[in-house]
Amino acid sequence: MIADLRALEPPQLESFTNSLVEQVVAAVTDKIPHLESSLAVAELTVALHYVLNTPEDVLVWDVGHQGYIHKALTGRMEELVNMRKPGGLSGFLKRDESPYDFFGAGHASTSISALAGVCLADQVSGKSRQRVAVIGDGSLTGGQSFEALNHLGSLGADALVIINDNEGSIDATIGALHHQQSYGTYVQSLGWQYTFLEQGNDVRALVEALQHVLAQPGPQTLHIKTKRPDLSPPKSYKPGTTFQWWAAETMGVVLEKNLDIQLLSPAMFAGSGFGPLRELYPNRLIDTGINEAHTVSAAAGIVAAGGKAWVHIYSTFLQRAFDQLIHDVALQHLPV
Amino acid sequence: MIADLRALEPPQLESFTNSLVEQVVAAVTDKIPHLESSLAVAELTVALHYVLNTPEDVLVWDVGHQGYIHKALTGRMEELVNMRKPGGLSGFLKRDESPYDFFGAGHASTSISALAGVCLADQVSGKSRQRVAVIGDGSLTGGQSFEALNHLGSLGADALVIINDNEGSIDATIGALHHQQSYGTYVQSLGWQYTFLEQGNDVRALVEALQHVLAQPGPQTLHIKTKRPDLSPPKSYKPGTTFQWWAAETMGVVLEKNLDIQLLSPAMFAGSGFGPLRELYPNRLIDTGINEAHTVSAAAGIVAAGGKAWVHIYSTFLQRAFDQLIHDVALQHLPV
């Protein structure tokens, strides 16, 4: 399918993309928020595989749930119906699954670090190839993305980071960078060139923009705006039947009885069924962005300042705040 | 001693600071790199306690080793001789030790998160007070500081972050932000006002600058340049007697035999006795900055790209890269 794509002329790319999207939507019927994220980058995915010589050129996706179109395009269309089922495809990118899945990702904010590793390895081996990472506006709120931009930006290597701004991850994106739309000054302060493309869902505009930035030397960013289609909403949880419902219900009682408690979560309120609570207490449920480390330390700061704080994190992401739990909460005897 | 300080007139601050520094240097004879960091902020420490009404006003130090002068000034001068000895003072800030130690810190990059917590708590309680964090240029390379700046910068709260640029932490500071000295555009992109003061070792200039920025509403940064005095170098390790010597010696053999291995470390080469190796292999020993998470994922990227990588981290800081070890190395079967 990749070979078919590369044989096309640019005017044919739009209908190719539309047909691809139709097939993917038909195959994936659950995980709607993840599918929406994937569809927002359908044109980008096609444009990238058209312009790049993957898998020789390196393409790293941040958070694999952007990767459904990528999987379809790289030989896994027929298997999409079995995604997330026993023996079926992973819902995220997976190195074992395909040579096109250069780097796996379930958690956010790791892609630019991996890209930095590729640049360092290629410096030693002398390998010359394109090196591209795609990161969403939500993942960019995670501090590891800053660490990688700051480090890689000082190395001078040829690398491209695409900032995909779809106006929100699964939860709305928070933080000054997003509110101010100051991505340009941000990345420039870290040594990266900045190019902006408004039409992030126009596959031919994307191809032209990619060809332009990939021809430039040094660390490059391409900031694009994309639209996430609004598919039918995820099935609502039946009251009383899920852990999420129980957790939200219990937290509602806690918040009602303790007017001074603040509830912090790194972008996991909606996924946890806490949406209704957030409407009820907009000033007390605080979404901090995708940044588990900061969230735990900020909660410690609340308690040190005399307040009361509760942190809500999925257990799979709690590892990311492990040091903060020890260093900023336990060692300081702060009852977060 | 704080009361004595606050009774002084500005022209008296310089001799007060000089006398304070003399006493601290006499009391602290080991931990030279930490002492140097503290002396670089001697004038800043005096100016802060002169202008602020600590401990009612909140002062958070990032990495407690900047805190020796602070400890002396807040009633612990006599105990300094017993620092880091059984039953003696902690080498870092400690909440149990003094109400002036608002937030403990051994690891880097946590102070702005704690400050964000204070702002959130004060929003609920309605408390009005000054809220200040001091962070070094090295600590600023840690991603958690970005997470906190991005989040707190969008809250609009009155808060001050002092960026203390002493031209290096214990290891030299790396990253584009430091090389380009682009701190102004960086913090502005995250919603913070920026003020620069070159004379970070001039106590009266500091008092004026602090009074100015503390009178401004919203999130403020004050970037100052300070000089770290060059005290007598730390005792060199006797060959063959320390774990550091053994580790560096062994790694030297590994590097000599494996010309394709790259050795990554988050700002811990000098402290580990790897300085000589770094001179021998400047392109293969890569200091990534204070960013354990990025370092581990970048190493995974090196291996994914066909290279060989070794990560060198103190065990006490390894927690900070715990998620990356699981997510980016183990789950992806990459032999880092």
Side-chain angles (χ1 to χ4, degrees), chain A residues 104 113 143 147 182 189 319 323, chain B residues 104 143 147 182 189 294 319 323 332:
Chain A
S113 293
E147 295 177 347
S182 46
S189 77
Q319 307 160 23
D323 185 68
Chain B
E147 296 178 343
S182 46
S189 77
H294 164 62
Q319 308 160 24
D323 185 69
Q332 310 207 32

Side-chain angles (χ1 to χ4, degrees), chain A residues 14-27:
Chain A
E14 200 177 327
S15 65
F16 177 90
T17 309
N18 292 341
S19 144
L20 186 65
V21 165
E22 266 176 40
Q23 294 174 65
V24 170
V25 170

Side-chain angles (χ1 to χ4, degrees), chain B:
Chain B
M1 202 169 200
I2 281 266
D4 298 341
L5 166 63
R6 290 184 182 148
L8 297 178
E9 294 299 318
Q12 302 172 285
L13 291 174
E14 200 178 329
S15 65
F16 176 90
T17 309
N18 292 343
S19 144
L20 187 65
V21 166
E22 267 177 39
Q23 294 174 65
V24 170
V25 170
V28 180
T29 51
D30 60 349
K31 277 286 166 185
I32 298 299
H34 287 189
L35 179 56
E36 287 175 350
S37 295
S38 280
L39 296 185
V41 292
E43 294 83 4
L44 177 65
T45 310
V46 170
L48 279 167
H49 283 293
Y50 185 68
V51 168
L52 296 174
N53 183 31
T54 51
E56 278 70 36
D57 286 341
V58 170
L59 174 58
V60 187
W61 292 95
D62 200 281
V63 190
H65 66 237
Q66 294 181 109
Y68 295 3
I69 303 281
H70 163 87
K71 291 200 183 207
L73 199 48
T74 53
R76 286 167 280 179
M77 178 68 87
E78 281 70 35
E79 302 164 62
L80 276 185
V81 288
N82 292 320
M83 186 183 272
R84 294 174 173 275
K85 289 174 189 160
L89 290 183
S90 166
F92 298 102
L93 265 61
K94 205 169 175 193
R95 288 175 48 77
D96 302 344
E97 211 173 271
S98 163
Y100 290 93
D101 290 10
F102 179 84
F103 206 77
H107 297 182
S109 316
T110 62
S111 60
I112 310 174
S113 293
L115 198 69
V118 178
C119 293
L120 289 169
D122 289 356
Q123 266 177 9
V124 166
S125 67
K127 202 177 276 185
S128 172
R129 52 180 164 181
Q130 297 290 3
R131 296 174 282 257
V132 182
V134 183
I135 187 164
D137 54 328
S139 294
L140 212 61
T141 63
Q144 192 181 339
S145 68
F146 160 79
E147 296 178 343
L149 284 171
N150 188 34
H151 180 222
L152 183 49
S154 70
L155 297 180
D158 294 341
L160 171 63
V161 169
I162 297 171
I163 299 171
N164 168 33
D165 184 357
N166 67 7
E167 307 261 298
S169 38
I170 292 172
D171 267 320
T173 301
I174 69 95
L177 201 54
H178 186 74
H179 289 159
Q180 300 188 154
Q181 285 287 310
S182 46
Y183 294 104
T185 49
Y186 171 62
V187 299
Q188 282 164 0
S189 77
L190 301 177
W192 295 72
Q193 298 293 315
Y194 174 77
T195 304
F196 176 65
L197 175 71
E198 176 84 38
Q199 306 95 328
N201 293 105
D202 178 335
V203 64
R204 288 183 62 187
L206 281 166
V207 165
E208 276 174 33
L210 286 172
Q211 283 167 336
H212 173 74
V213 292
L214 287 170
Q216 311 295 317
Q220 303 287 327
T221 57
L222 174 64
H223 172 201
I224 63 171
K225 290 266 190 188
T226 57
K227 283 209 185 315
R228 232 167 23 145
D230 202 2
L231 303 178
S232 56
K235 278 163 276 177
S236 58
Y237 302 111
K238 283 187 208 141
T241 59
T242 66
F243 178 74
Q244 280 89 342
W245 179 87
W246 174 85
E249 184 78 0
T250 307
M251 189 49 68
V253 176
V254 171
L255 287 166
E256 201 182 340
K257 291 199 177 162
N258 299 274
L259 293 178
D260 48 357
I261 281 191
Q262 291 178 294
L263 180 55
L264 270 57
S265 181
M268 288 164 203
F269 281 131
S272 314
F274 278 42
L277 282 178
R278 213 170 158 186
E279 282 167 35
L280 214 54
Y281 305 109
N283 295 323
R284 292 172 59 203
L285 269 72
I286 297 153
D287 185 343
T288 50
I290 303 182
N291 46 27
E292 292 79 7
H294 164 62
T295 305
V296 172
S297 300
I302 289 177
V303 179
K308 288 185 188 163
W310 188 289
V311 176
H312 182 73
I313 301 185
Y314 287 6
S315 59
T316 38
F317 295 115
L318 193 55
Q319 308 160 24
R320 306 183 77 134
F322 191 66
D323 185 69
Q324 287 69 30
L325 279 177
I326 295 175
H327 183 267
D328 289 354
V329 178
L331 287 180
Q332 310 207 32
H333 313 302
L334 291 169
V336 170

Side-chain angles (χ1 to χ4, degrees), chain A residues 210-241:
Chain A
L210 287 171
Q211 284 168 336
H212 172 76
V213 292
L214 287 170
Q216 312 295 317
Q220 302 287 327
T221 57
L222 175 63
H223 171 201
I224 62 170
K225 289 268 189 185
T226 57
K227 282 210 185 313
R228 230 165 27 144
D230 202 1
L231 303 178
S232 56
K235 279 165 276 177
S236 58
Y237 303 111
K238 283 187 208 140
T241 58

Side-chain angles (χ1 to χ4, degrees), chain A residues 24 39 56 70 121 130 148 160 208 244 249 272 283 292 312:
Chain A
V24 170
L39 296 185
E56 278 70 35
H70 163 86
Q130 298 288 3
L160 170 63
E208 277 176 34
Q244 281 88 343
E249 184 78 1
S272 314
N283 294 323
E292 293 77 8
H312 183 73

Side-chain angles (χ1 to χ4, degrees), chain A:
Chain A
M1 201 167 200
I2 281 266
D4 299 340
L5 167 63
R6 289 182 183 149
L8 298 178
E9 294 299 319
Q12 303 172 283
L13 290 174
E14 200 177 327
S15 65
F16 177 90
T17 309
N18 292 341
S19 144
L20 186 65
V21 165
E22 266 176 40
Q23 294 174 65
V24 170
V25 170
V28 180
T29 51
D30 60 349
K31 277 285 168 190
I32 298 298
H34 287 188
L35 179 56
E36 287 176 351
S37 294
S38 280
L39 296 185
V41 291
E43 295 82 6
L44 177 65
T45 310
V46 170
L48 280 166
H49 282 293
Y50 186 68
V51 168
L52 296 173
N53 183 30
T54 50
E56 278 70 35
D57 286 342
V58 170
L59 174 58
V60 187
W61 292 95
D62 198 282
V63 188
H65 67 237
Q66 293 181 111
Y68 295 2
I69 303 282
H70 163 86
K71 292 201 181 205
L73 200 46
T74 53
R76 285 167 280 177
M77 177 69 87
E78 280 71 35
E79 301 164 64
L80 275 185
V81 288
N82 293 319
M83 184 182 273
R84 294 174 172 273
K85 290 174 187 160
L89 290 182
S90 165
F92 299 101
L93 265 61
K94 204 169 175 193
R95 288 174 49 78
D96 302 343
E97 211 172 274
S98 164
Y100 290 92
D101 291 9
F102 179 83
F103 205 77
H107 297 182
S109 316
T110 61
S111 61
I112 310 173
S113 293
L115 198 70
V118 178
C119 293
L120 290 168
D122 289 355
Q123 266 178 9
V124 166
S125 67
K127 201 175 278 185
S128 172
R129 53 178 163 180
Q130 298 288 3
R131 296 174 282 258
V132 181
V134 183
I135 187 164
D137 54 329
S139 294
L140 212 62
T141 62
Q144 193 182 337
S145 68
F146 160 79
E147 295 177 347
L149 284 171
N150 188 34
H151 180 223
L152 183 48
S154 70
L155 297 179
D158 294 341
L160 170 63
V161 170
I162 298 171
I163 299 172
N164 168 34
D165 184 358
N166 67 7
E167 306 260 300
S169 40
I170 292 172
D171 268 319
T173 302
I174 70 94
L177 202 53
H178 186 74
H179 288 159
Q180 298 188 156
Q181 284 289 309
S182 46
Y183 295 103
T185 47
Y186 171 62
V187 299
Q188 282 164 0
S189 77
L190 302 176
W192 295 72
Q193 296 295 315
Y194 174 78
T195 304
F196 177 64
L197 176 70
E198 175 86 35
Q199 306 96 328
N201 293 105
D202 179 334
V203 65
R204 290 184 61 187
L206 281 165
V207 165
E208 277 176 34
L210 287 171
Q211 284 168 336
H212 172 76
V213 292
L214 287 170
Q216 312 295 317
Q220 302 287 327
T221 57
L222 175 63
H223 171 201
I224 62 170
K225 289 268 189 185
T226 57
K227 282 210 185 313
R228 230 165 27 144
D230 202 1
L231 303 178
S232 56
K235 279 165 276 177
S236 58
Y237 303 111
K238 283 187 208 140
T241 58
T242 65
F243 179 73
Q244 281 88 343
W245 179 87
W246 175 85
E249 184 78 1
T250 308
M251 190 47 71
V253 175
V254 171
L255 287 166
E256 201 183 338
K257 290 200 177 160
N258 299 274
L259 293 177
D260 49 356
I261 282 191
Q262 290 178 297
L263 180 56
L264 270 57
S265 181
M268 288 164 205
F269 281 131
S272 314
F274 279 42
L277 282 179
R278 213 169 159 188
E279 284 167 34
L280 214 55
Y281 305 109
N283 294 323
R284 294 171 58 203
L285 267 73
I286 296 154
D287 185 343
T288 49
I290 302 182
N291 47 29
E292 293 77 8
H294 163 62
T295 304
V296 173
S297 300
I302 288 177
V303 179
K308 289 184 187 164
W310 187 288
V311 176
H312 183 73
I313 301 185
Y314 287 6
S315 58
T316 39
F317 295 115
L318 192 56
Q319 307 160 23
R320 308 183 77 133
F322 192 66
D323 185 68
Q324 287 70 28
L325 279 177
I326 295 173
H327 182 268
D328 289 353
V329 177
L331 288 179
Q332 309 207 33
H333 313 303
L334 290 170
V336 170

